[in-house]
Amino acid sequence: MLVSTIGNIVQFTICFLALWRGGRDERIVAAALLANTLASKLAVSSDWVEPEYLVLVADMALLTVLVTLALRTTRWWVLWCAAFELLIVITHVAIVVDPTVRARSYVTGMIIWSYMVLLPLGFGAWETWRGAGRRQAPS
């Protein structure tokens, strides 16, 4: 419970900062992540022993947004977000293909890759905020 609470605080803090100080790309990714989180929380139907098909659909939708954005932007960090989201989708597929994958492995994989999606977003928001400060500084 405590780990989940800390994870939610970290996620919402990074998304809030990206929405507040980030550029267009950071805001799109933050909004997509928040929508994915809400959809995933509503879609979870079990204790992660069985594949979570609705969560998989939500993660595939987020992957589509991230890959589309990565192909259209010059921001390199979006590609990292898309890569980590792809690992989340692959983890879902692993439990669909091999039901012997244990629930703990399934959830742990989801947690690790979810944090890894947040790191590039946080870096992108920080980089944009730092760059905006440099442009506004008097010479």
Side-chain angles (χ1 to χ4, degrees):
M1 182 73 171
L2 178 63
V3 173
S4 175
T5 303
I6 291 171
N8 288 334
I9 291 170
V10 168
Q11 178 180 9
F12 289 119
T13 301
I14 289 175
C15 287
F16 172 76
L17 292 174
L19 289 168
W20 180 41
R21 291 290 187 182
R24 177 185 159 271
D25 295 336
E26 291 81 8
R27 290 180 178 141
I28 290 171
V29 172
L33 278 171
L34 290 173
N36 175 266
T37 299
L38 179 62
S40 295
K41 298 273 187 211
L42 294 173
V44 171
S45 62
S46 69
D47 56 358
W48 294 90
V49 174
E50 298 295 321
E52 293 287 346
Y53 293 106
L54 293 176
V55 178
L56 172 59
V57 170
D59 285 334
M60 289 174 68
L62 178 59
L63 178 62
T64 302
V65 169
L66 293 173
V67 168
T68 301
L69 185 61
L71 291 172
R72 295 180 180 194
T73 188
T74 59
R75 308 299 304 268
W76 61 269
W77 61 265
V78 180
L79 188 60
W80 283 98
C81 287
F84 290 125
E85 186 62 28
L86 177 61
L87 289 171
I88 290 173
V89 170
I90 288 171
T91 304
H92 280 294
V93 171
I95 200 164
V96 170
V97 172
D98 185 5
T100 62
V101 174
R102 297 188 185 269
R104 186 175 186 113
S105 302
Y106 188 27
V107 173
T108 303
M110 294 292 119
I111 292 169
I112 291 170
W113 301 133
S114 295
Y115 281 131
M116 298 307 288
V117 171
L118 290 171
L119 290 177
L121 172 61
F123 179 80
W126 175 75
E127 188 179 55
T128 299
W129 172 71
R130 189 184 70 173
R134 285 184 182 165
R135 286 189 295 275
Q136 293 176 355
S139 53

